[in-house]
Amino acid sequence: MEAVSCLFPQGGLSKPLRGLYLEQELHKQAAVDDVLIYSNYIVSLDGRIALWDSSTDDFSVPKSIANARDWRLYQELAAQSDIMLTSARYFRQLAKGCAQDLLPVGKGKNHDDLHAWRKQQTLTAQPDVMIVSSSLDIPLESLAYVSDRKVWVMTTSHASAERKQSLQAMGVTILIGGESSVQGDVLKKHLIDLGYRSAYMIAGPQIHHMLLQAGVLNRLFLTTHLSLLGHDAFHTLLKGELKPIACELLSLYLDSQGQQMFAQYHIAHT
Ligand SMILES: NC(=O)c1ccc[n+]([C@@H]2O[C@H](COP(=O)([O-])OP(=O)(O)OC[C@H]3O[C@@H](n4cnc5c(N)ncnc54)[C@H](OP(=O)(O)O)[C@@H]3O)[C@@H](O)[C@H]2O)c1
């Protein structure tokens, strides 16, 4: 695998792709009684993270930018998490057979080292899962994919009692994160109370907004694929009203082989 070139900090060395994000040790970065929350996206130069796909009647990550080299880093971020934060939409896509992948850490020999690494770090075999949803429209059969780990559903006090019961019967624990929508600060408090130290947010623009608005997202990992996609029906990595938030660049690598750049930002909530 071709190495990636360090563009920032200046004077940084080229590094092998494998291990580039694993060396962050994100599971050890939170202060005492705190949790580190981080997000990760792959985006085109014109800002698309997902395009409408008429064949699945849904949005999905554009096939022309999704690639194995970025996926390796996605998996490395997953490997460092105690818990992954996702949306009910992910489970709806999973039930339709069009989700990007099963929740990591992936199976197969490409990811054996990550499983061994988690074991060595005394982390659980797989990160737990927290699903954020107001509707609780979560196909019950899709939960079979994550039956090997603890699953939480973070919803609102208005959520359907019947749907809550069906989920509880599947072994899911329901948490309340707000009245009409889940609030980022409440979600974070639950994570801390449950003892989680690193949380990897893999959902889209709404949940990203909820965390950023509450000032609880700490890091953004952003892969920019060097291509322009156009298309009118798309998602970008954030939607909704927000006061400007400064992002401090921590590192930037050029991946010539994959025609993409890997950036890491510290989110400076003031
Ligand atoms: N390129 C990339 O790196 C990347 C990464 C992530 C996602 N994506 C793509 O982005 C697209 C959108 O992803 P997504 O649907 O997961 O994104 P999202 O916009 O973050 O989540 C949407 C769903 O999450 C729930 N939700 C969001 N905020 C909530 C709140 N404050 N309180 C309660 N529930 C809330 C709602 O579920 P209910 O409707 O059940 O209430 C809502 O329908 C997908 O096509 C995905 O593939 C791309």
Side-chain angles (χ1 to χ4, degrees):
M1 251 189 192
E2 198 177 296
V4 293
S5 316
C6 182
L7 305 180
F8 186 86
Q10 284 179 349
L13 300 173
S14 291
K15 287 189 179 171
L17 179 84
R18 279 173 91 92
L20 185 72
Y21 281 172
L22 206 56
E23 67 179 23
Q24 299 289 322
E25 300 210 311
L26 297 168
H27 60 307
K28 295 182 179 168
Q29 300 303 323
V32 177
D33 293 331
D34 205 349
V35 58
L36 184 90
I37 308 181
Y38 53 99
S39 60
N40 172 41
Y41 291 95
I42 182 166
V43 63
S44 64
L45 277 176
D46 51 344
R48 275 70 170 153
I49 64 158
L51 297 180
W52 180 256
D53 181 349
S54 51
S55 67
T56 56
D57 209 19
D58 213 333
F59 286 92
S60 53
V61 178
K63 288 190 179 61
S64 62
I65 65 170
N67 67 87
R69 292 171 70 81
D70 174 66
W71 191 245
R72 166 69 199 187
L73 296 185
Y74 178 101
Q75 291 280 342
E76 289 192 6
L77 293 175
Q80 295 166 78
S81 66
D82 287 333
I83 186 163
M84 297 180 72
L85 311 178
T86 186
S87 68
R89 182 274 324 161
Y90 177 85
F91 285 84
R92 297 197 279 271
Q93 283 197 339
L94 205 52
K96 283 203 298 185
C98 61
Q100 193 182 13
D101 204 345
L102 300 184
L103 283 169
V105 177
K107 297 194 168 59
K109 64 177 177 11
N110 277 348
H111 305 120
D112 281 352
D113 64 317
L114 298 179
H115 290 284
W117 184 88
R118 278 185 76 84
K119 201 169 179 183
Q120 185 217 338
Q121 299 291 320
T122 62
L123 293 166
T124 53
Q126 289 284 352
D128 290 344
V129 173
M130 184 174 281
I131 309 169
V132 179
S133 173
S134 295
S135 72
L136 294 188
D137 176 10
I138 302 169
L140 298 180
E141 68 278 13
S142 66
L143 295 170
Y145 292 109
V146 288
S147 58
D148 56 346
R149 55 205 105 160
K150 181 82 194 154
V151 179
W152 310 91
V153 169
M154 175 77 62
T155 190
T156 69
S157 41
H158 297 320
S160 148
E162 197 184 326
R163 287 188 172 180
K164 280 198 273 189
Q165 276 166 13
S166 308
L167 287 162
Q168 282 164 331
M170 298 290 293
V172 164
T173 306
I174 305 284
L175 300 169
I176 301 300
E179 245 179 72
S180 54
S181 64
V182 171
Q183 303 299 306
D185 54 340
V186 182
L187 182 148
K188 177 174 172 167
K189 184 168 185 323
H190 277 295
L191 290 175
I192 293 171
D193 290 349
L194 293 165
Y196 292 113
R197 306 273 297 146
S198 59
Y200 181 21
M201 200 290 276
I202 59 162
Q206 271 185 41
I207 295 182
H208 210 202
H209 177 263
M210 179 253 287
L211 297 176
L212 283 163
Q213 191 180 42
V216 300
L217 190 84
N218 302 105
R219 298 241 192 131
L220 166 63
F221 292 84
L222 188 62
T223 299
T224 304
H225 194 270
L226 305 182
S227 54
L228 295 164
L229 298 179
H231 214 285
D232 287 333
F234 64 90
H235 282 301
T236 183
L237 55 85
L238 184 58
K239 68 193 282 189
E241 295 298 315
L242 200 68
K243 284 194 202 144
I245 294 174
C247 299
E248 180 198 348
L249 182 65
L250 296 179
S251 64
L252 180 64
Y253 288 86
L254 173 65
D255 174 24
S256 302
Q257 187 181 334
Q259 281 299 289
Q260 55 200 344
M261 290 186 293
F262 303 125
Q264 184 190 169
Y265 298 92
H266 165 71
I267 310 290
H269 296 288
T270 47

